[in-house]
């Protein structure tokens, strides 16, 4: 198994570019299109969206997490057999993700991102963009034509109508998911089930990693 980056064309970017990393770990993707796939997660610090139900509020500060270079992050990911990397946050697009994704792609990884789309620029080279808009801050329209997956967290019944409005703004081939907010499942799940039965272009995303009790 390859354990170190060798002859990466991005050269100096491996050490010059650093990112605040709340955590990084090898696990099973629990949500959306790639649910059930082995994946290496890189959770970057920094977010100003302010979802009150966020389950990783410790990721919000941008300056309280250790910084890691591109080289460190890619080499850490290479220690595991999976070749799917999910970059998340926080809000990962607060950072220039071009150098990191270039190095990951060159090392043989598929690059996926989950983003609220609120930032001014969509940086990075992506195989899959999961767009998860939030009511708390308006997304940047520039992301809409790049969306591969729309995943909307449903906290209140009115969120489903809000979700369908976003579906009209993204490519028709994008995968559409409704995901119950974890603490509201008892009341929200039946509503989502009925909605998807009536609107079969949508699917249900369940946080299976929480049921499995894995990160």
């Amino acid at each position: 198994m390859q354990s170190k980056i060798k002859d990466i064309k991005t050269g100096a970017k491996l050490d010059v570019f650093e990112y605040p990393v709340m955590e990084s770990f090898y696990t099973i993707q629990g949500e959306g299109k790639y649910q059930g796939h082995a994946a290496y997660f890189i959770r970057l610090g920094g977010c100003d969206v302010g979802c009150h139900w966020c389950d990783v509020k410790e990721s919000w500060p941008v300056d309280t997490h250790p910084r890691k270079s591109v080289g460190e992050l890619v080499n850490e990911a290479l220690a595991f057999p999976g070749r799917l990397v999910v970059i998340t946050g926080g809000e990962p697009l607060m950072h220039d993700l071009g150098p990191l994704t270039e190095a990951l792609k060159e090392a043989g990884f598929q690059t996926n991102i989950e983003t609220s789309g609120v930032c001014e620029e969509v940086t990075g080279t992506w195989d899959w963009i999961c767009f998860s808009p939030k009511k708390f801050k308006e997304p940047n329209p520039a992301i809409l034509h790049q969306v591969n997956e729309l995943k909307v967290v449903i906290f209140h019944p009115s969120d489903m109508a809000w979700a369908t409005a976003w579906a009209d703004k993204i490519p028709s081939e994008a995968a559409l998911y409704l995901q119950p907010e974890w603490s509201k499942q008892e009341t929200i799940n039946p509503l989502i089930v009925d909605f998807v039965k009536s609107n079969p272009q949508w699917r249900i995303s369940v946080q299976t990693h929480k049921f499995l009790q894995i990160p």
Side-chain angles (χ1 to χ4, degrees):
M1 181 188 302
Q2 183 182 13
S3 60
K4 294 291 182 181
I5 301 174
K6 295 182 180 179
D7 301 321
I8 292 289
K9 294 177 183 177
T10 45
K13 291 182 181 179
L14 296 178
D15 296 318
V16 171
F17 284 89
E18 294 183 334
Y19 300 90
V21 180
M22 175 190 155
E23 58 183 349
S24 52
F25 53 95
Y26 189 54
T27 188
I28 301 294
Q29 168 64 284
E31 305 174 1
K33 172 69 173 178
Y34 284 88
Q35 182 270 325
H37 289 247
Y40 190 79
F41 272 70
I42 299 173
R43 187 182 303 280
L44 300 180
C47 185
D48 61 359
V49 179
C51 304
H52 62 85
W53 39 256
C54 177
D55 55 6
V56 283
K57 289 185 173 69
E58 59 269 36
S59 70
W60 292 5
V62 73
D63 55 359
T64 60
H65 306 288
R67 301 186 68 85
K68 292 187 177 182
S69 70
V70 171
E72 287 178 292
L73 288 168
V74 178
N75 277 325
E76 288 172 357
L78 283 168
F80 301 94
R83 289 296 175 265
L84 169 62
V85 165
V86 179
I87 299 180
T88 184
E91 173 42 65
L93 287 178
M94 287 182 66
H95 311 282
D96 178 2
L97 298 176
L100 178 56
T101 54
E102 289 170 19
L104 286 167
K105 293 288 290 180
E106 186 142 356
F109 288 95
Q110 175 178 332
T111 54
N112 292 15
I113 187 173
E114 179 169 339
T115 175
S116 63
V118 300
C119 296
E120 293 182 2
E121 188 176 3
V122 180
T123 59
T125 303
W126 304 106
D127 294 296
W128 192 260
I129 294 179
C130 174
F131 171 51
S132 186
K134 306 297 189 295
K135 287 183 173 180
F136 312 103
K137 190 171 183 180
E138 188 76 12
N140 178 358
I143 197 174
L144 297 178
H145 73 281
Q146 304 179 59
V147 172
N148 303 109
E149 173 185 337
L150 172 65
K151 185 177 68 182
V152 180
V153 176
I154 305 300
F155 182 82
H156 185 275
S158 64
D159 293 338
M160 286 187 284
W162 186 76
T164 61
W166 285 108
D168 294 333
K169 301 176 183 179
I170 61 175
S172 59
E173 65 272 16
L176 305 177
Y177 287 92
L178 300 177
Q179 179 169 296
E181 198 278 324
W182 183 255
S183 69
K184 297 291 184 178
Q185 290 187 84
E186 185 174 344
T187 56
I188 293 297
N189 281 355
L191 301 178
I192 293 179
V193 168
D194 287 344
F195 180 89
V196 172
K197 288 167 68 176
S198 299
N199 300 272
Q201 70 272 30
W202 286 86
R203 305 172 197 172
I204 299 174
S205 172
V206 179
Q207 293 179 293
T208 55
H209 57 290
K210 292 188 177 180
F211 287 106
L212 293 172
Q213 298 183 24
I214 58 176

